Amino acid sequence: MNLHSDIGYFFLRLIRLGLGTEVYTDFPILKTKQWTAICDMGMKQSVIGILLAGIEHLPQEKRPEKAIMMKLINLCLRIEHQNRILNRKAVEQSDYYIKNGFSPILLKGQGVATLYPKPEWRMPGDIDLWLADGRKKVTEFIRKQRPEAEVLYHHIHLNENDGMEVEVHTVPTLLYNPFSNRKLQKWFAIWKDLAINVELPNSVGTVSVPCDEMNRVFLLIHKYRHLFCEGIGIRQMVDYMMLLRKIFTEEERVRTVRILKDLHLTAFCRAVMFVLTDALGMEREYLLMEPDEKAGKLLLNEIIAAGNFGKYDTRIDRTIKGDSLKSFYYRNKRNMRFLHYFPNEALWGFYFKIYNWFWRRKNNKYEL
């Protein structure tokens, strides 16, 4: 997707209409081929629901033809169905771990969806639960239940019998820089006691989710991690915008900025602020700090090239085995293009990947 093309321009206008950050004034009558390309972008960026909400702001004569409209409506009905399943599953998973003596906190996904005007139209992913009870206790419990599960540095990936993917986090996320990461984990130790309860849509039950301060830091780092690992999409940017558009005081903003500076996340945050204001039209009153246009354009280009979680990034050779030396080389080479703007993680990533390679083999009993 080229943002400088008519298709890219029209796509972002519709997204802003769907988000309510742009008021309808005029819109051209597009051809079927153009609408098809716009819908493809919506799928790749996992924002079909927002796209349809934007189209609903157009007068009837400027909307796509009936076949395309029906396809979008059917996709949204499917998204609603998936969200109902995930909401129920999230509550069941949370209740299961509570009954077994844990303190589950639902990260991202279904919790963030509650911030949307239409939570049922946010395209869902998997379920991420942070068991804030210590890595050893969590790992030992999972190992007893699921001995085949692979333990990663910050989560354990579980495939359920019904096809659902669940990630049980021992820590919510991490930073490659070990000094920054140590500070981050201390903050998580504070924030775990500040979790709040929310009711998921369809009255399926309540779950604990992070407090807003934690989410302002955690969701930003989550995007940062995906930028260096596989790629991020517009949906993740919209998630962050929905969070920031909640009311927060100037004191809370200053405190969040101070934490981000201490974690060396200022440069990335300013890039994200540019994407949120320039591409998605977020009001400046919700900014955490001033946008950086140059870094923001780099980030926006990555978002457009990679799509949701980098699934559509043609620059990545997906035939290379994830743990191979070849993969290690190309991933680090790829991340060097971020060196000028985000040097802290770009440089420390090389050392963390080596450390993580040995950590995984030790904790999953591989034979070296």
Side-chain angles (χ1 to χ4, degrees):
M1 168 180 158
N2 182 355
L3 281 180
H4 302 292
S5 69
D6 287 341
I7 299 300
Y9 171 73
F10 296 142
F11 170 75
L12 285 179
R13 279 199 64 192
L14 289 166
I15 294 300
R16 290 195 292 268
L17 284 171
L19 292 171
T21 57
E22 181 175 323
V23 177
Y24 173 77
T25 52
D26 189 29
F27 200 83
I29 296 175
L30 303 181
K31 298 178 181 179
T32 300
K33 186 177 180 180
Q34 292 173 302
W35 277 116
T36 300
I38 288 172
C39 291
D40 286 343
M41 291 179 192
M43 286 297 295
K44 290 179 179 178
Q45 297 292 338
S46 292
V47 288
I48 284 293
I50 300 171
L51 181 62
L52 180 58
I55 292 172
E56 288 180 340
H57 285 272
L58 303 180
Q60 195 65 41
E61 68 273 12
K62 295 189 176 182
R63 296 181 183 185
E65 61 189 64
K66 184 178 179 180
I68 294 177
M69 282 297 293
M70 290 305 298
K71 180 181 179 181
L72 289 172
I73 291 169
N74 286 330
L75 284 170
C76 283
L77 289 173
R78 191 184 307 171
I79 291 169
E80 289 180 12
H81 177 68
Q82 290 173 336
N83 274 313
R84 284 194 294 270
I85 294 174
L86 264 117
N87 285 337
R88 187 177 67 250
K89 187 75 173 181
V91 172
E92 289 174 355
Q93 286 283 310
S94 180
D95 289 346
Y96 169 76
Y97 286 108
I98 289 173
K99 289 175 183 176
N100 283 279
F102 292 93
S103 307
I105 298 173
L106 182 65
L107 303 173
K108 306 176 292 177
Q110 302 312 106
V112 172
T114 61
L115 304 174
Y116 280 62
K118 287 188 175 181
E120 68 276 13
W121 278 15
R122 179 189 180 275
M123 291 184 75
D126 53 16
I127 295 173
D128 292 80
L129 276 178
W130 172 31
L131 302 187
D133 304 277
R135 187 193 301 274
K136 183 179 179 181
K137 180 181 176 181
V138 174
T139 303
E140 288 178 352
F141 178 79
I142 297 294
R143 281 293 192 210
K144 288 179 182 177
Q145 309 299 316
R146 304 282 290 275
E148 81 286 356
E150 183 177 16
V151 179
L152 304 181
Y153 184 78
H154 69 297
H155 73 261
I156 304 168
H157 190 90
L158 303 174
N159 289 309
E160 300 299 300
N161 293 331
D162 57 5
M164 195 74 64
E165 292 186 2
V166 178
E167 290 185 357
V168 176
H169 287 248
T170 52
V171 294
T173 189
L174 60 100
L175 289 167
Y176 288 156
N177 182 326
F179 306 104
S180 297
N181 188 51
R182 191 175 297 117
K183 293 177 182 179
L184 176 64
Q185 301 312 320
K186 288 180 180 179
W187 276 111
F188 285 141
I190 295 171
W191 288 326
K192 72 177 183 179
D193 297 322
L194 301 177
I196 57 178
N197 291 329
V198 298
E199 184 169 343
L200 296 185
N202 309 118
S203 300
V204 294
T206 60
V207 295
S208 291
V209 298
C211 64
D212 289 345
E213 182 176 84
M214 173 175 162
N215 263 340
R216 284 193 290 268
V217 177
F218 164 68
L219 291 178
L220 187 75
I221 297 175
H222 178 64
K223 277 171 263 301
Y224 204 27
R225 282 279 56 75
H226 277 284
L227 176 67
F228 281 91
C229 294
E230 50 191 353
I232 52 179
I234 287 179
R235 185 190 67 177
Q236 291 169 292
M237 290 292 157
V238 174
D239 284 352
Y240 203 55
M241 189 177 87
M242 291 297 107
L243 172 69
L244 294 184
R245 289 177 87 187
K246 290 185 66 177
I247 297 175
F248 59 88
T249 65
E250 176 62 15
E251 183 182 353
E252 289 171 329
R253 187 195 69 80
V254 170
R255 178 179 162 91
T256 298
V257 169
R258 187 168 66 246
I259 295 170
L260 295 176
K261 286 181 177 179
D262 196 38
L263 297 175
H264 302 289
L265 291 168
T266 303
F268 183 68
C269 182
R270 293 183 65 200
V272 170
M273 295 300 102
F274 174 84
V275 174
L276 296 186
T277 53
D278 188 78
L280 299 181
M282 186 182 79
E283 302 86 346
R284 288 186 59 86
E285 64 192 274
Y286 300 117
L287 287 172
L288 288 175
M289 55 184 72
E290 280 300 306
D292 182 331
E293 182 177 356
K294 289 184 178 180
K297 285 182 175 179
L298 170 72
L299 178 60
L300 186 56
N301 287 334
E302 287 297 317
I303 290 170
I304 299 309
N308 191 49
F309 290 133
K311 294 176 183 176
Y312 304 95
D313 195 338
T314 57
R315 299 167 300 177
I316 298 176
D317 185 353
R318 302 185 187 281
T319 63
I320 300 174
K321 188 176 182 291
D323 282 336
S324 68
L325 286 174
K326 199 172 185 180
S327 172
F328 175 80
Y329 170 77
Y330 281 110
R331 282 178 180 273
N332 280 284
K333 181 181 178 181
R334 169 188 175 275
N335 289 342
M336 283 301 105
R337 66 176 178 265
F338 306 130
L339 181 62
H340 177 71
Y341 294 102
F342 317 122
N344 201 41
E345 292 295 284
L347 291 172
W348 278 108
F350 175 83
Y351 297 99
F352 176 82
K353 285 179 172 63
I354 294 174
Y355 165 77
N356 190 46
W357 189 88
F358 285 102
W359 189 94
R360 288 177 63 178
R361 272 142 189 79
K362 176 184 176 182
N363 286 275
N364 290 284
K365 299 180 174 59
Y366 288 107
E367 290 185 11
L368 294 178

